[in-house]
Amino acid sequence: MHFISEELENYIEKHSAAEPELLQQLNKETHQKILQPRMLSGHFQGRVLSMLSKILNPEHILELGTYTGYATLCLAEGLKNDGTIDTIDINEELEDIQHKYFSKSPFKDQIIQHIGNALDIVPTLNKKFDLVFIDADKENYINYWNLIVPMMNKGGIILSDNVLWSGKVLEEVQKNDKSTPILLEYNKIVNEDSRVETVLLPIRDGLTVSRVL
């Protein structure tokens, strides 16, 4: 679902920072070889993630949902020189393409790949995070939120992707739809959580920015 016209989206991309060459290659290979390439953050959202990370200049980043690693590389652009990004995905079949592009990047020694269930892995990470990107299975968004907020540094940012869910948040929920009711509840919980201040941005499929107080 396009919330603005494709023509306007193309104009926005042309008047935003260029997509780095390595990310262009990853974008192309993802569309050629990987199922559901729409899950890729893409040029415009990728530059938004990069800009937010650069503004924050985080020491530790956590990403839930690596997919092919596009957003990982965008977020890594803002890391401190001695910073790290832990990125978690449950799909081990994507590990090779992730590693291929991570190893080509300037951040190869700062990216820590994890394969498995994020709810099991995150509690083992002995870190306080400055920036978190939630872009994994929607059914666990509330569980991720409850797990992550106490692990954040004050002033840290939590980004939640796909919170508009192709506009389904405004439609009647279908009987077999498990994700939309959870996202509706998640958006309410996040907005009402007194530990953060939140703004929901209509970027691609909806991106919530929550700042920890």
Side-chain angles (χ1 to χ4, degrees):
M1 179 177 183
H2 289 273
F3 296 105
I4 60 175
S5 69
E6 289 189 55
E7 292 81 6
L8 195 52
E9 285 185 354
N10 291 334
Y11 181 88
I12 290 168
E13 285 192 4
K14 288 178 181 177
H15 292 81
S16 299
E19 185 180 35
E21 184 177 351
L22 182 64
L23 292 178
Q24 291 179 32
Q25 296 170 11
L26 175 53
N27 195 334
K28 182 177 180 180
E29 185 167 349
T30 299
H31 279 82
Q32 290 175 337
K33 300 180 179 179
I34 307 297
L35 293 174
Q36 297 180 300
R38 185 178 178 273
M39 292 172 61
L40 191 86
S41 289
H43 177 186
F44 174 57
Q45 185 174 1
R47 291 304 87 202
V48 172
L49 297 177
S50 170
M51 181 68 76
L52 290 172
S53 184
K54 287 172 181 174
I55 291 170
L56 199 59
N57 191 212
E59 181 177 4
H60 296 304
I61 301 175
L62 173 64
E63 178 185 38
L64 306 185
T66 315
Y67 191 48
T68 57
Y70 189 101
T72 319
L73 292 170
C74 294
L75 293 166
E77 292 178 23
L79 275 171
K80 293 185 184 298
N81 291 335
D82 59 348
T84 62
I85 176 167
D86 287 272
T87 182
I88 305 170
D89 203 284
I90 201 164
N91 188 354
E92 62 183 18
E93 293 180 2
L94 296 174
E95 188 173 11
D96 287 345
I97 188 170
Q98 295 165 8
H99 183 71
K100 173 182 176 180
Y101 284 91
F102 293 165
S103 64
K104 291 181 178 181
S105 80
F107 318 109
K108 59 184 178 182
D109 296 327
Q110 296 174 276
I111 299 172
I112 305 166
Q113 289 176 262
H114 304 270
I115 302 296
N117 188 323
L119 293 174
D120 296 328
I121 294 170
V122 172
T124 70
L125 304 176
N126 188 26
K127 296 177 183 176
K128 297 283 281 185
F129 293 100
D130 306 297
L131 178 59
V132 173
F133 184 40
I134 303 175
D135 189 20
D137 57 310
K138 312 313 165 194
E139 288 81 357
N140 273 311
Y141 262 38
I142 296 170
N143 293 328
Y144 294 144
W145 179 263
N146 291 331
L147 180 63
I148 287 166
V149 174
M151 300 178 69
M152 297 295 297
N153 283 317
K154 184 177 180 180
I157 297 292
I158 302 172
L159 304 172
S160 309
D161 202 16
N162 305 119
V163 291
L164 295 179
W165 207 225
S166 298
K168 291 180 183 179
V169 292
L170 294 180
E171 301 171 358
E172 183 178 349
V173 178
Q174 302 300 307
K175 290 183 179 180
N176 62 345
D177 185 348
K178 296 180 180 179
S179 299
T180 303
I182 291 175
L183 284 171
L184 287 167
E185 184 179 359
Y186 180 79
N187 289 340
K188 185 175 185 293
I189 288 171
V190 171
N191 189 47
E192 295 177 353
D193 194 323
S194 61
R195 298 170 295 178
V196 301
E197 57 180 347
T198 290
V199 60
L200 196 164
L201 304 176
I203 293 174
R204 286 190 80 239
D205 197 22
L207 180 69
T208 294
V209 180
S210 303
R211 177 178 173 268
V212 179
L213 300 175

